């Protein structure tokens, strides 16, 4: 499985792909780092999420909405 990391700076913006990783731990770390960096830059509305895909050949660059998915690691 491949994890696509999506980010948006405002609630009405589209989600934009910013990173891809195969590790669920790395995906969660990327999400946390992006949110922390956005808050340091003064953007309190920024959001970041990880989406799981079966294939690296089909990962959309933009999404209108994302589904809440929990990381599958211990």
């Amino acid at each position: 499985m491949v994890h696509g990391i999506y980010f948006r700076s405002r609630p009405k913006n589209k989600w934009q792909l910013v990173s891809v990783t195969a590790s669920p731990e790395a995906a969660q770390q990327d999400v946390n780092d992006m949110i922390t960096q956005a808050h340091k830059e003064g953007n309190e509305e920024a959001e970041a999420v990880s989406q799981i895909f079966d294939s690296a050949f089909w990962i959309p660059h933009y999404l209108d909405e994302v589904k809440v998915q929990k990381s599958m690691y211990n």
Side-chain angles (χ1 to χ4, degrees), residues 1-55:
M1 292 195 292
V2 179
H3 300 267
I5 313 302
Y6 288 88
F7 180 80
R8 69 178 175 183
S9 57
R10 285 182 243 136
K12 293 186 178 183
N13 286 2
K14 287 189 174 188
W15 293 95
Q16 182 175 0
L17 180 68
V18 292
S19 179
V20 177
T21 183
S23 165
E25 295 89 354
Q28 188 60 46
Q29 183 64 39
D30 284 352
V31 167
N32 293 339
D33 290 345
M34 278 189 270
I35 292 172
T36 301
Q37 183 63 33
H39 288 180
K40 285 181 184 177
E41 293 176 2
N43 187 355
E44 299 297 324
E45 296 180 341
E47 300 174 274
V49 295
S50 172
Q51 292 291 286
I52 300 171
F53 297 97
D54 292 329
S55 171

